[in-house]
Amino acid sequence: MGFLSTFLGVFGFGFGLPIGLLLGFFLFVYSHPKDVKDPVVRPLHELDSSTLQEILPEIPFWVKCPDYERVDWLNKFLLDMWPYLDKAICATIKSTTEPIFAEYIGKYKIEAIEFEHLTLGTLPPTIHGVKVYETNEKDLVMEPAIRWAGNPNIILVLKLMSLQVKVQLVDLQVFAAPRIALKPLLPTFPCFANIVVSLMERPHVDFGLKIQGGDVMSIPGLYRFVQEIIKKKVASLYLWPQSLEIPILDASTVAVKKPVGILHVKVVRAMKLLKADFLGTSDPYVKLNLTGEKLPAKKTTIKKNNLNPEWNENFKLIVKDPQSQVLQLQVFDWDKVGGHDRLGMQLVPLNVLTPHDTKEFTLDLLKHSNITDPRDKKQRGQIVVELTFVPFKEDSAKFNEPLHGGSENSSEDERLSGAGLLSVMVQGAEDVEGEHHNNPYASVLFRGEKKKTKVIRKTRDPRWNEEFQFTLDQPPLHEKIRIDVMSKRKRFSFQAKESLGHVEINLDDVVHNGRINEKYHLIDSKNGVIHVEIRWDTV
């Protein structure tokens, strides 16, 4: 019976196989395929809520938020650069962690900590959109939406006595929306000094952790505990307003010195000056300026036919670096025709002054600044000056001077009274258009004093970045400053100057807040805008 069943089975297989192949061939050749239907494409607004919830996490930011820009080119750039970025980032991680690991060597029986494998894998981060902010400051602010589902291979080996413990990080996922600021912008390559990074919300970080090959994250409750620890730690370090600042350029090479105080100079008198005129007298006056400044020198009045003149005239000079700047005093003999003869000069370094203390100097006049030159022993007379350095309130601590008061009300009272420096930075303008020519410059008018920027030819969007300063005895409350944007033709013409618009700025907000940085629409201009920064520093 067994032989018969085996025979029938072999016979059926040998007979059925060719018949099946023959029928399959005819069905394949002569059968007609069914039409393949195109998938149904429906707009988002026609989908129900449950379907939207399923696909919402996968929708890129540039679709959900119109203010995010699509940056496929940047993702392509990251993809091509990733093998090189991977090596560079891993090298940075190694150099950064080596001193950290070294602190634990010898503790807790740890003999060594080192990376066995360190690579971020082959999958680069993906940027789902970038939002760029426009600010009035000298910076560039952007927010990229970053998603990274990587395949890193990071194995850390801990050598404990005779044991080796391997810790492996796998299946890393990071979703974050950092705010990246490049500031301040500079005319020195790469055109910004620092990268400042802040997280606008808590990031999502997911990963697996294996110890000796076993997944410890599968332990009940450990996964959620580790997630919360990471989020809190990252938030405490980098969640806005906390930030990570990465210096790009050396601060000493890009530092822009700002005024820190006012030097009060009283030119009192001079004695026994040289006789420079034909009749045996001189017509002296004094020029004074600080080194390192391009501002015009201050001048006293001219005292006719006087070798022992008395001026008792006061001047105010802006100080930017009291440790290195020097006051230069030059006494000249005024001549009606020709150049003025220098009778003598002297230098006073500001670092010999104590803030707020008035000091009188009686100085022997020299022929030139080289004091040790033995060739000139001629007596040139003396000059008497009184000097007082008064730092601004915010800079007083730098010169070991305590701030007066200590409360917000007292500081506000000080800001609303007393002398100070009004600094006007005319940064630039946009969409200024003249009927006859476009060679714009800005004119700043305050208390009858007018100051002008340079002329920039053939542009509707000039960038001046010029600062003007006014030393005042009282804060400019209930006062306005006027800024005119003009166009000036270089060659002679009946339309040599043309107004492109103007603005009048009330200075009350500047006095109360200490600083404003705004863009103003120009009056009598179609679309013109001017960007101005104004500061009020009290002494």
Coordinates of all heavy atoms in Angstrom, one line a residue, residues 331-362:
V331 N 50.3 125.7 22.3 CA 50.2 127.2 22.4 C 50.7 127.7 21.0 O 51.9 127.5 20.7 CB 50.9 127.8 23.6 CG1 50.7 129.3 23.6 CG2 50.5 127.1 24.9
F332 N 49.9 128.5 20.3 CA 50.3 129.1 19.0 C 50.2 130.6 19.1 O 49.5 131.2 19.9 CB 49.3 128.6 18.0 CG 49.5 127.2 17.5 CD1 48.8 126.2 18.2 CD2 50.3 126.9 16.4 CE1 49.0 124.9 17.8 CE2 50.5 125.6 16.0 CZ 49.8 124.6 16.7
D333 N 51.0 131.2 18.3 CA 51.0 132.6 18.1 C 50.2 132.9 16.8 O 50.5 132.5 15.7 CB 52.4 133.2 17.9 CG 52.4 134.7 17.5 OD1 51.7 135.5 18.2 OD2 53.1 135.0 16.5
W334 N 49.1 133.6 17.0 CA 48.2 133.9 15.8 C 48.8 135.0 14.9 O 49.3 136.0 15.4 CB 46.8 134.4 16.4 CG 45.9 134.7 15.3 CD1 45.1 133.9 14.6 CD2 45.6 136.0 14.7 NE1 44.3 134.5 13.7 CE2 44.6 135.9 13.7 CE3 46.1 137.3 14.9 CZ2 44.1 136.9 13.0 CZ3 45.6 138.4 14.2 CH2 44.7 138.2 13.2
D335 N 48.8 134.7 13.6 CA 49.3 135.6 12.6 C 48.1 135.9 11.6 O 47.4 134.9 11.2 CB 50.5 135.1 11.9 CG 51.7 135.1 12.7 OD1 51.9 136.1 13.5 OD2 52.6 134.2 12.6
K336 N 48.0 137.1 11.3 CA 47.0 137.5 10.3 C 47.2 136.9 8.9 O 46.3 136.6 8.2 CB 46.8 139.0 10.3 CG 45.6 139.5 9.5 CD 45.4 141.0 9.7 CE 44.1 141.5 9.0 NZ 43.9 142.9 9.1
V337 N 48.5 136.9 8.6 CA 48.9 136.4 7.3 C 49.9 135.2 7.5 O 50.8 135.3 8.3 CB 49.6 137.5 6.4 CG1 50.1 136.9 5.1 CG2 48.7 138.7 6.3
G338 N 49.7 134.1 6.7 CA 50.6 133.0 6.8 C 50.2 132.0 7.9 O 49.1 132.2 8.6
G339 N 51.1 131.1 8.2 CA 50.8 130.1 9.2 C 51.0 130.6 10.6 O 51.7 131.6 10.8
H340 N 50.4 129.9 11.6 CA 50.6 130.3 13.0 C 51.8 129.6 13.6 O 51.9 128.3 13.4 CB 49.3 130.0 13.8 CG 48.1 130.7 13.2 ND1 46.8 130.4 13.7 CD2 48.0 131.6 12.2 CE1 46.0 131.2 13.0 NE2 46.6 131.9 12.1
D341 N 52.6 130.3 14.3 CA 53.8 129.7 14.9 C 53.5 129.0 16.2 O 52.8 129.6 17.0 CB 54.9 130.8 15.1 CG 55.3 131.5 13.8 OD1 55.4 130.7 12.8 OD2 55.6 132.7 13.8
R342 N 54.0 127.8 16.4 CA 53.8 127.1 17.7 C 54.8 127.6 18.7 O 56.0 127.5 18.5 CB 53.9 125.6 17.5 CG 53.4 124.9 18.7 CD 53.2 123.4 18.5 NE 54.5 122.7 18.3 CZ 54.5 121.4 18.1 NH1 53.4 120.7 18.0 NH2 55.7 120.8 17.9
L343 N 54.4 128.1 19.8 CA 55.2 128.6 20.8 C 55.7 127.5 21.8 O 56.7 127.6 22.4 CB 54.5 129.7 21.6 CG 54.0 130.9 20.8 CD1 53.3 131.9 21.8 CD2 55.2 131.6 20.1
G344 N 54.9 126.5 21.9 CA 55.3 125.4 22.8 C 54.1 124.4 22.9 O 53.0 124.7 22.5
M345 N 54.4 123.2 23.5 CA 53.4 122.2 23.7 C 53.7 121.4 24.9 O 54.8 121.4 25.4 CB 53.3 121.4 22.4 CG 54.5 120.6 22.0 SD 54.6 119.0 22.8 CE 53.2 118.2 22.1
Q346 N 52.7 120.6 25.3 CA 52.9 119.7 26.5 C 51.8 118.7 26.4 O 50.8 118.8 25.8 CB 52.8 120.5 27.8 CG 53.2 119.7 29.0 CD 54.5 119.1 29.0 OE1 54.6 118.0 28.5 NE2 55.6 119.8 29.4
L347 N 52.1 117.5 27.1 CA 51.2 116.4 27.1 C 50.9 116.0 28.5 O 51.7 116.1 29.4 CB 51.9 115.2 26.4 CG 52.3 115.3 25.0 CD1 53.1 114.1 24.5 CD2 51.1 115.6 24.1
V348 N 49.6 115.6 28.7 CA 49.2 115.1 30.1 C 48.5 113.8 29.9 O 47.4 113.7 29.3 CB 48.2 116.1 30.7 CG1 47.8 115.6 32.1 CG2 48.9 117.5 30.8
P349 N 49.0 112.7 30.3 CA 48.3 111.4 30.2 C 47.2 111.3 31.2 O 47.3 111.8 32.4 CB 49.4 110.3 30.6 CG 50.4 111.1 31.4 CD 50.4 112.5 30.9
L350 N 46.1 110.8 30.8 CA 44.8 110.8 31.6 C 44.9 109.8 32.7 O 44.1 109.9 33.7 CB 43.6 110.5 30.7 CG 43.3 111.4 29.5 CD1 42.0 111.1 28.9 CD2 43.4 112.9 30.0
N351 N 45.8 108.8 32.6 CA 45.9 107.8 33.7 C 46.5 108.4 35.0 O 46.5 107.7 36.0 CB 46.7 106.6 33.3 CG 48.1 107.0 32.9 OD1 48.6 108.1 33.1 ND2 48.8 106.0 32.2
V352 N 46.9 109.7 35.0 CA 47.4 110.3 36.3 C 46.2 110.9 37.0 O 46.4 111.4 38.1 CB 48.5 111.3 36.0 CG1 49.6 110.7 35.3 CG2 47.9 112.5 35.2
L353 N 45.0 110.9 36.4 CA 43.9 111.6 37.0 C 43.0 110.6 37.8 O 42.9 109.4 37.5 CB 43.0 112.2 35.9 CG 43.6 113.3 35.0 CD1 42.6 113.7 34.0 CD2 44.1 114.4 35.8
T354 N 42.5 111.1 38.9 CA 41.5 110.3 39.7 C 40.1 110.8 39.4 O 39.9 112.0 39.4 CB 41.8 110.5 41.2 OG1 43.1 110.1 41.5 CG2 40.8 109.7 42.0
P355 N 39.2 109.9 39.0 CA 37.9 110.3 38.6 C 37.2 111.2 39.7 O 37.3 111.0 40.9 CB 37.1 108.9 38.5 CG 38.2 107.9 38.2 CD 39.4 108.4 38.9
H356 N 36.6 112.2 39.1 CA 35.8 113.2 39.9 C 36.7 114.2 40.7 O 36.2 115.2 41.2 CB 34.8 112.5 40.9 CG 33.9 111.6 40.2 ND1 32.8 112.1 39.4 CD2 33.8 110.3 40.2 CE1 32.1 111.0 39.0 NE2 32.7 109.9 39.4
D357 N 38.0 114.0 40.7 CA 38.9 114.9 41.5 C 39.5 115.9 40.5 O 40.1 115.5 39.5 CB 40.0 114.1 42.2 CG 39.4 113.3 43.4 OD1 38.3 113.6 43.8 OD2 40.1 112.4 43.9
T358 N 39.4 117.2 40.8 CA 40.0 118.2 40.0 C 41.5 118.4 40.4 O 41.8 118.5 41.6 CB 39.3 119.6 40.2 OG1 37.9 119.4 39.8 CG2 39.9 120.6 39.3
K359 N 42.3 118.4 39.4 CA 43.8 118.5 39.6 C 44.3 119.6 38.7 O 44.1 119.7 37.6 CB 44.5 117.2 39.3 CG 45.9 117.1 39.7 CD 46.5 115.7 39.6 CE 47.9 115.6 40.1 NZ 48.5 114.2 39.9
E360 N 45.2 120.5 39.4 CA 45.8 121.6 38.6 C 47.2 121.2 38.3 O 48.0 120.7 39.1 CB 45.8 122.9 39.5 CG 46.4 124.1 38.8 CD 46.3 125.3 39.7 OE1 45.2 125.9 39.8 OE2 47.3 125.8 40.2
F361 N 47.6 121.6 37.0 CA 48.9 121.3 36.5 C 49.5 122.6 36.0 O 48.9 123.4 35.3 CB 48.8 120.3 35.3 CG 48.4 119.0 35.6 CD1 47.0 118.7 35.7 CD2 49.3 117.9 35.9 CE1 46.5 117.4 36.0 CE2 48.8 116.7 36.2 CZ 47.5 116.4 36.2
T362 N 50.8 122.8 36.4 CA 51.6 123.9 35.9 C 52.7 123.2 35.1 O 53.6 122.6 35.6 CB 52.2 124.7 37.0 OG1 51.1 125.3 37.8 CG2 53.0 125.9 36.4

